[in-house]
Amino acid sequence: MDGTPSPIVDPSDAFRAVLGRLARGEILNEADAEQAFGLIMDGGVPDMLIASFLMALRVRGERQVELLGAVRAVRARMHGVTPVPAGTIDVCGTGGDGLGTLNISTAVAFVLAALGVPVAKHGNRALSSRSGAIDVLGALGVALSDDPAVIAAQLNDTGLAFMAAPAHHPAMRYAAPARKALGMRTLFNLIGPLCNPAGVTRQLVGVFDPSWLRPVVETLKLLGSERAWAVHGSCGVGQGVDELTLAGPTAIAALQDGILYDFTLEPGDAGLRPAPISAIGGGGPAENAVALEALLAGAHGAYRDTVLLNAAAALHVAGRGDILQEGAVQRPALRALIAEAARVLDDGSALAVLKSVRGDRPSVQDECIQG
């Protein structure tokens, strides 16, 4: 040690070196991807370089190892929520399907909570749809806190908490201008759902592109998840949705007992009537909120059936059933979980959860349900 200070490395210079590697067609290893995304989220990298980086990845084709490094970088900088109940689950999609459906995973969260499954629901405002999770919750009158301690208390007290992504991932703001300028899906669309602030190890993740199903589940496995499903529903020629769907087969990659499975689930497996994706077409936050509250109050139709199908899958991921055995769908188990989910819609329990998190004064009927 001669006392000579180490030279200061400009983040832009380090980032340009990574860009040069991508220009040569190289695949980043986990550490390099983590460093590159860390530089972005620490600020100091110009928007033009960020956009060039994201486009270079997309043109060459992003890889699972690069997703893993990126997720590690985001998780290292997020504002976490602790402590959380054992077995807490998240149900969240990547968005990006452009179909503008009613809010499915948000409705599923109320059903799960009514069945005693703790849910730490990670969500955002509308990006590709007209009403994201945060938008519809606002229209429902559900107040969201940005304080991790308050959110943890809500989760432990009520079994349900909603977390607005911007409050927990402030470093993501450095990538926002470049992402907006590009106006297309990038690796960031996949990163968010894999960075739940409550550190859940059980997840039902909707994915906009079926080619990412297995990479998403592989990434979650490497990050310590116990059980996870990544799902992509087919709803027409060239169309897909980031939920389980009644409009066609749903492709699924699953992590269970340390083993990865790939399989397909049909609406008929669940004993549900097929329905076109247009049957659950949504609108703005106010319209979707009316539909969601009616659903929780027992309304029937394609929206209810779609929520039941997704709730059954989430219950399996939460360990409340055994739909999948050695990679094969067990129809009786699936239908039993659908019946469980239907029960809390019909008896008012799911609606009571909404009223509780909204802070409504309990009615005599609500007290009977809870008692």
Side-chain angles (χ1 to χ4, degrees), residues 296-321:
L296 298 181
H300 284 244
Y303 185 25
R304 170 189 169 101
D305 287 352
T306 303
V307 169
L308 291 177
L309 180 60
N310 282 269
L315 284 168
H316 169 86
V317 173
R320 291 284 293 269

Side-chain angles (χ1 to χ4, degrees), residues 83-89 116-118 155-156 201-202 226 318:
V84 302
T88 298
I89 187 174
V117 176
L155 182 56
N156 282 278
T201 59
R202 294 175 180 264
E226 298 174 49

Side-chain angles (χ1 to χ4, degrees), residues 34-111:
E34 182 174 359
Q35 179 192 31
F37 279 89
L39 287 170
I40 290 173
M41 288 177 290
D42 288 339
V45 177
D47 295 340
M48 182 182 69
L49 292 184
I50 296 173
S52 299
F53 172 74
L54 295 174
M55 182 56 70
L57 286 172
R58 174 156 179 164
V59 169
R60 191 216 58 207
E62 303 96 335
R63 306 301 171 89
Q64 185 270 329
V65 68
E66 293 165 338
L67 174 62
L68 176 60
V71 170
R72 288 197 187 278
V74 174
R75 288 189 175 195
R77 291 161 177 80
M78 71 183 179
H79 295 174
V81 172
T82 57
V84 302
T88 298
I89 187 174
D90 187 17
V91 284
C92 181
T94 60
D97 56 36
L99 294 173
T101 58
L102 292 166
N103 298 86
I104 305 300
S105 60
T106 305
V108 169
F110 289 106
V111 173

Side-chain angles (χ1 to χ4, degrees), residues 24 62 151 173 206 237 244 275 309 332 354:
R24 295 190 294 272
E62 303 96 335
I151 295 168
R173 71 186 185 276
V237 178
L244 289 95
L309 180 60
L354 168 61

Side-chain angles (χ1 to χ4, degrees), residues 113-366:
L115 286 165
V117 176
V119 184
K121 175 78 175 76
H122 194 205
N124 211 334
R125 295 196 177 277
L127 296 174
S128 61
S129 66
R130 294 174 60 189
S131 178
I134 304 308
D135 302 303
V136 76
L137 289 168
L140 284 166
V142 177
L144 302 184
S145 174
D146 292 346
D147 186 338
V150 171
I151 295 168
Q154 290 173 342
L155 182 56
N156 282 278
D157 291 343
T158 69
L160 177 62
F162 296 99
M163 302 172 294
H168 297 273
H169 302 289
M172 295 279 271
R173 71 186 185 276
Y174 294 115
R179 294 178 67 192
K180 184 176 181 180
L182 285 174
M184 64 182 68
R185 292 192 300 247
T186 69
L187 201 60
F188 273 103
N189 290 81
L190 290 164
I191 295 169
L194 306 187
C195 296
N196 183 287
V200 299
T201 59
R202 294 175 180 264
Q203 286 188 253
L204 175 63
V205 184
V207 178
F208 62 77
D209 185 331
S211 68
W212 278 105
L213 291 173
R214 181 167 271 258
V216 162
V217 173
E218 288 173 346
T219 298
L220 288 172
K221 178 182 179 182
L222 291 169
L223 291 166
S225 287
E226 298 174 49
R227 188 177 279 200
W229 278 21
V231 304
H232 176 85
S234 297
C235 51
V237 178
Q239 272 195 324
V241 63
D242 64 338
E243 315 278 359
L244 289 95
T245 183
L246 301 176
T250 298
I252 301 170
L255 167 66
Q256 188 166 317
D257 300 324
I259 302 171
L260 272 62
Y261 300 97
D262 301 289
F263 62 101
T264 300
L265 194 150
E266 300 276 357
D269 293 332
L272 298 170
R273 182 179 300 175
I277 199 68
S278 59
I280 58 168
E287 182 179 346
N288 282 19
V290 169
L292 200 159
E293 189 154 3
L295 164 80
L296 298 181
H300 284 244
Y303 185 25
R304 170 189 169 101
D305 287 352
T306 303
V307 169
L308 291 177
L309 180 60
N310 282 269
L315 284 168
H316 169 86
V317 173
R320 291 284 293 269
D322 203 4
I323 294 173
L324 192 65
Q325 292 183 13
E326 297 182 353
V329 175
Q330 306 299 304
R331 288 185 177 186
L334 172 59
R335 295 179 184 191
L337 291 179
I338 285 173
E340 279 289 288
R343 177 178 59 80
V344 297
L345 290 177
D346 293 335
D347 70 10
S349 299
L351 182 61
V353 174
L354 168 61
K355 291 179 177 180
S356 175
V357 299
R358 189 163 59 191
D360 293 1
R361 184 188 299 274
S363 65
V364 172
Q365 181 182 7
D366 292 336

